[in-house]
Amino acid sequence: MNKRTAIHLRAAVLATALTGLVTGWASAQTVNLTLSHFNNPNEVATANKLIEVFEAANPDINIDVELIPTGGDGDNLVKTRLSTGDMTDLLWYNAGSLFHALNPKERFVDLTDEPYQAAILDSFKSVVTEGGRVYGVPIGTAFGGGVLYNRKVFEKLGLAVPKTWAEFMANNEKLKAAGIPAVIQTFGTPWTAQLFMLGDYYNLQAAEPDFAERYTANQAKYATAPALKGFERQEEVFKAGYLNEDFASAIFEDGLRMVAEGEGAQYPMLSITVGTIATTYPDLVNDVGFFALPGDDATKNGLTTWMPNGLYITSTTPHLAEAKRFVAFVASVAGCDAQTAAIGATGPYLVKGCSIPADVPPVVSDLLPYFETDGATAPALEFLSPVKGPNLPQITVEVGSGIRSAADGAALYDEDVKKQAQQLALPGW
């Protein structure tokens, strides 16, 4: 080996060593966070976009994702991991009653005094507050629980959007006569069975304005009128033969496909699922509209609404400062814009300054007038009361399948809520 070759070799070794040192230093400066969220298309697309935009602006932070199964299995997993201190740094989870069931004072970081809270609407802060302290920020938009419907099918049969239950059932009879499944049900995904009952809360509150307060105090029950109507209407639709033949095995994704393609006419569902339709069937998203689950009086037609889910920082995170940076981003206009870029606008954001495009899908344009009209919305019961039983999906599957009567299902649910109410040490239980 000549002298020049030896010099080049030593230089190459030195360069390699320096590169390794620099790479190691850079790697040491990168903080890794992990976010857990439910494994559904909307949340997957939204989380991926939020992380992409955030990491581009914050190269010192890397965020990985762990997916949670949907339904009861996922809820149990979250509770188990929180109780054992094994939860990820960040958790995207429900607000309202299910949030309260997680013992937020012990499990989550108090975010009350963070500067961005000034931009978050009080209506959201109220559903992630425990003991006067705020533990989350909104991720996603407000949305409604009602009925997705195929606009082309309605137009073909000359059907109008119903404002009363009688009009809804008359439409169903015409759809059945035309050979079209009038009401899509997807009991292969049990949580989807709850919409007739949960979406009827606006009508229940209109009939009994103090129901939430009395229900929380164990003074009102679902097995008595008018609360029983949600169960009764699910039973009525089944008995009339208005469901798709595969209602017992069809899953959530089947329901969205059927209503988008017009294979079925109506799908009782949350309006926010338009994001999944937009990404999965972009050419059909304008064929789907939305209306509130009708009650008995057209002059009192209104919508049961849901707050967005919450984003929380777990109290066990070793990277609190970095986790707070991500939460602050999600609760900003830039965070709203990233969510819109991911799945489109699915409803109103609850962060001041956030806006939605003018060219929203019909589901969203059908939704907004309820929010813009005084008295036309009521929060779902889970945002007014901490009492919600864990077995409602299975109970409504049974009622909706004719396995259990509406009266028996409601009575069983009244028993189901006792355990949670007692765990929360609510007075009167």
Side-chain angles (χ1 to χ4, degrees):
M1 180 185 298
N2 59 39
K3 184 176 181 181
R4 178 175 296 178
T5 301
I7 291 172
H8 284 313
L9 180 59
R10 286 196 296 273
V13 170
L14 179 61
T16 300
L18 287 172
T19 299
L21 286 171
V22 171
T23 302
W25 178 84
S27 176
Q29 301 306 304
T30 301
V31 170
N32 290 305
L33 300 174
T34 305
L35 164 68
S36 289
H37 66 80
F38 286 113
N39 185 16
N40 67 59
N42 269 9
E43 293 194 14
V44 170
T46 300
N48 288 346
K49 177 56 71 172
L50 283 167
I51 291 169
E52 174 192 330
V53 175
F54 177 78
E55 287 182 345
N58 297 269
D60 59 323
I61 300 177
N62 176 75
I63 301 179
D64 297 317
V65 167
E66 289 187 9
L67 297 178
I68 303 168
T70 58
D73 290 342
D75 288 332
N76 291 334
L77 176 63
V78 168
K79 291 175 182 176
T80 299
R81 293 190 65 182
L82 284 171
S83 66
T84 59
D86 188 39
M87 181 47 74
T88 54
D89 306 277
L90 298 150
L91 175 63
W92 175 355
Y93 191 74
N94 302 73
S97 62
L98 294 176
F99 155 79
H100 290 293
L102 297 182
N103 189 10
K105 289 182 181 180
E106 298 292 329
R107 310 300 186 202
F108 299 138
V109 172
D110 185 344
L111 303 176
T112 308
D113 300 323
E114 297 299 315
Y116 53 74
Q117 291 288 357
I120 297 175
L121 298 186
D122 289 343
S123 58
F124 177 79
K125 284 190 276 193
S126 69
V127 300
V128 291
T129 294
E130 177 96 349
R133 309 302 290 176
V134 180
Y135 291 91
V137 302
I139 182 166
T141 65
F143 53 97
V147 182
L148 300 175
Y149 74 100
N150 188 280
R151 300 168 74 208
K152 285 187 174 179
V153 169
F154 267 49
E155 182 180 354
K156 180 180 178 181
L157 296 182
L159 304 180
V161 169
K163 294 292 183 69
T164 67
W165 184 256
E167 293 171 355
F168 178 69
M169 292 299 283
N171 280 353
N172 291 340
E173 191 61 29
K174 293 175 182 177
L175 288 160
K176 181 180 179 181
I180 301 170
V183 178
I184 300 165
Q185 293 283 256
T186 52
F187 297 159
T189 306
W191 71 262
T192 67
Q194 302 173 93
L195 265 295
F196 272 114
M197 183 272 204
L198 296 180
D200 191 57
Y201 185 72
Y202 176 91
N203 301 317
L204 171 54
Q205 183 172 286
E208 193 171 334
D210 63 346
F211 179 83
E213 180 182 348
R214 296 177 59 246
Y215 180 68
T216 304
N218 197 21
Q219 297 170 357
K221 299 293 183 182
Y222 266 98
T224 57
L228 181 58
K229 278 192 176 180
F231 289 96
E232 288 178 330
R233 286 174 169 167
Q234 185 174 33
E235 180 182 49
E236 185 179 351
V237 166
F238 168 77
K239 286 184 173 180
Y242 294 147
L243 306 186
N244 47 303
E245 289 185 357
D246 62 345
F247 68 87
S249 59
I251 61 174
F252 167 66
E253 289 79 7
D254 296 325
L256 293 185
R257 177 190 59 78
M258 290 174 70
V259 74
E261 294 180 348
E263 183 179 326
Q266 300 163 116
Y267 188 23
M269 185 41 59
L270 302 170
S271 65
I272 197 171
T273 57
V274 67
T276 303
I277 297 175
T279 55
T280 310
Y281 307 102
D283 295 338
L284 299 176
V285 68
N286 289 329
D287 293 345
V288 182
F290 177 83
F291 59 86
L293 199 65
D296 293 322
D297 186 347
T299 66
K300 296 180 179 179
N301 181 247
L303 178 69
T304 303
T305 62
W306 271 256
M307 292 289 106
N309 285 342
L311 179 63
Y312 311 99
I313 301 174
T314 56
S315 56
T316 53
T317 180
H319 305 298
L320 180 57
E322 291 79 9
K324 282 188 173 183
R325 281 164 61 185
F326 182 68
V327 170
F329 163 69
V330 171
S332 70
V333 172
C336 294
D337 291 344
Q339 294 173 68
T340 301
I343 61 172
T346 58
Y349 289 104
L350 299 186
V351 177
K352 295 174 184 176
C354 292
S355 59
I356 60 176
D359 57 339
V360 294
V363 168
V364 180
S365 59
D366 289 345
L367 173 74
L368 293 178
Y370 294 104
F371 284 94
E372 295 165 353
T373 303
D374 288 341
T377 64
L381 180 59
E382 64 195 71
F383 301 112
L384 302 172
S385 171
V387 181
K388 186 177 182 182
N391 294 313
L392 182 61
Q394 290 73 27
I395 293 170
T396 50
V397 164
E398 292 180 352
V399 173
S401 303
I403 297 170
R404 186 183 298 275
S405 71
D408 286 349
L412 183 61
Y413 184 61
D414 285 335
E415 288 297 315
D416 185 47
V417 303
K418 279 186 179 180
K419 183 177 180 180
Q420 186 193 34
Q422 291 171 349
Q423 286 176 341
L424 294 173
L426 296 178
W429 291 85

